[in-house]
Amino acid sequence: MDNTNFAGLSVGGRRLTVVFSQLQHAVAAADYGSFRQAAHALSIKQSTLSRSIQLLEHSMGVVIFERSSGGVRATPAGRHFLRMTRSILEQIEALIASTRANGSGESGRLIIGFCTSLTAGNLRATLLDFKKLFPQVELVTVERSRTRLSTALRNGVIDVSIITGDPQLLDSNTTSLWSERILVVLPSDHLLAAREVIYWTDLRDQTVLLSHYDPGRELEDLLNAKLVSPGDRPRIERHDVSRGVIKSLIAVGFGISLVLESDIGANFSGLVYRELRDGTGPSRIGFSAVWRTDNENPPLQNFLKMLSERYHLGPVSP
């Protein structure tokens, strides 16, 4: 597939030859902010990736990345290009998956999208139980942001997404599942670490690090709702990094953060977790399952039935 190209495309009188792997390389470089790290993740030479992106930029006639000693950053034109590229790659993934399924006669395949941790909690337990009950089903997991999961669901890339909140998406069904406690994660030598329970008001004067990815945005909205007065709110720093990198920043003293209890399985040396409460008790965020109304995949129906029985949801209709 890496050698697949889109030769013959003509835009504004300019003939384009874009190799599929070039698009993958560009997205990886944007995700890692570094040609070296992207090449390592893709198990290719840095020079190969750099040359691939140079050819892509030449073919497109635009500069996609600004290069510097600190890494790479997408140009304004590059950001637009990368947004479109991600959508194209997801469409192609869906095409490949459906073609392979039809061509080989596969019928036992379930693709589940999620935006929470799998180190502990209900989602991990649910996937383990489903695999035990239906060992013949090929279970595929896809981690994306909530926005990208919605796109993937709409395009048929995934069968069902497990996300925070209760979204209302066109042509889809939604059912509420479990909820998880919100925890404060902080260095073990932090003043608040001596407490077994931390209240929202205790966060005043703290620096709270949040990821741009889910559920960081929802946690920030909840923090603002709990602490209405701006004077009671902590300083919030938003970072375009994963939850794991946020924990690394906490470990070296950059601040504290908020996580869901499913994250507690990812142990980081020197960090502790404390329950976050308000006057009524522990603070929680709910999870929901979302799937397309026209999806008749049999493994999906089995998965929805198992969710219904496990979380006492009552009948779940396709």
Side-chain angles (χ1 to χ4, degrees), residues 182-201:
I182 301 174
L183 307 176
V184 181
V185 55
L186 62 166
S188 56
D189 59 355
H190 194 281
L191 288 176
L192 294 177
R195 307 183 186 183
E196 288 301 317
V197 173
I198 295 175
Y199 291 89
W200 289 93
T201 51

Side-chain angles (χ1 to χ4, degrees), residues 24-316:
Q24 294 176 310
H25 295 166
V27 168
D31 287 343
Y32 285 93
S34 163
F35 284 178
R36 180 183 61 81
Q37 293 183 30
H40 178 74
L42 295 173
S43 299
I44 62 175
K45 294 181 179 179
Q46 179 178 341
S47 59
T48 300
L49 183 137
S50 179
R51 178 60 177 166
S52 173
I53 293 177
Q54 286 178 351
L55 291 173
L56 176 63
E57 290 177 321
H58 176 75
S59 181
M60 298 299 298
V62 298
V63 177
I64 299 173
F65 293 104
E66 295 176 355
R67 281 82 162 169
S68 71
S69 58
V72 296
R73 183 175 63 177
T75 63
R79 287 194 291 271
H80 174 74
F81 173 80
L82 289 165
R83 281 195 297 270
M84 299 296 292
T85 297
R86 292 181 193 278
S87 178
I88 290 170
L89 292 179
E90 287 180 348
Q91 295 268 6
I92 292 175
E93 288 174 1
L95 175 63
I96 294 171
S98 62
T99 301
R100 284 178 175 172
N102 291 333
S104 64
E106 291 180 6
S107 58
R109 194 166 193 257
L110 179 66
I111 307 178
I112 300 175
F114 65 96
C115 58
T116 186
S117 175
L118 281 180
T119 59
N122 284 308
L123 179 56
R124 183 176 186 272
T126 298
L127 296 181
L128 290 173
D129 284 353
F130 182 80
K131 195 62 180 175
K132 290 178 182 177
L133 288 172
F134 303 98
Q136 74 281 8
V137 173
E138 180 187 358
L139 188 61
V140 181
T141 56
V142 176
E143 184 178 14
R144 297 283 191 275
S145 69
R146 182 160 41 177
T147 300
R148 292 185 66 190
L149 286 178
S150 297
T151 300
L153 189 69
R154 184 170 61 251
N155 293 336
V157 176
I158 60 177
D159 291 299
V160 59
S161 61
I162 308 297
I163 57 178
T164 54
D166 186 15
Q168 299 296 324
L169 301 178
L170 187 65
D171 298 327
S172 68
N173 286 337
T174 303
T175 187
S176 298
L177 300 174
W178 60 82
S179 66
E180 293 186 10
R181 293 177 300 149
I182 301 174
L183 307 176
V184 181
V185 55
L186 62 166
S188 56
D189 59 355
H190 194 281
L191 288 176
L192 294 177
R195 307 183 186 183
E196 288 301 317
V197 173
I198 295 175
Y199 291 89
W200 289 93
T201 51
D202 294 329
L203 301 182
R204 173 191 277 191
D205 299 327
Q206 299 296 322
T207 297
V208 176
L209 312 180
L210 293 176
S211 169
H212 280 301
Y213 304 104
D214 297 314
R217 296 173 185 175
E218 191 162 358
L219 289 170
E220 182 176 351
D221 290 342
L222 186 58
L223 187 152
N224 290 332
K226 294 288 186 180
L227 302 175
V228 178
S229 173
D232 291 335
R233 294 173 185 167
R235 295 181 298 276
I236 296 177
E237 291 185 2
R238 304 166 188 85
H239 295 262
D240 191 13
V241 296
S242 68
R243 292 184 296 271
V245 175
I246 290 288
K247 291 181 180 179
S248 296
L249 294 175
I250 297 169
V252 296
F254 276 52
I256 65 176
S257 189
L258 308 180
V259 299
L260 300 181
E261 60 184 303
S262 55
D263 272 305
I264 204 168
N267 293 321
F268 273 68
S269 177
L271 299 184
V272 297
Y273 298 83
R274 295 292 182 263
E275 186 176 80
L276 186 60
R277 292 189 177 188
D278 57 19
T280 61
S283 298
R284 310 185 73 93
I285 284 183
F287 281 78
S288 299
V290 188
W291 67 98
R292 285 177 57 115
T293 55
D294 60 355
N295 190 334
E296 298 179 353
N297 184 16
L300 172 62
Q301 307 312 315
N302 290 332
F303 182 71
L304 295 174
K305 181 180 179 182
M306 193 194 76
L307 288 178
S308 175
E309 294 171 350
R310 184 182 180 97
Y311 299 104
H312 310 291
L313 307 176
V316 177

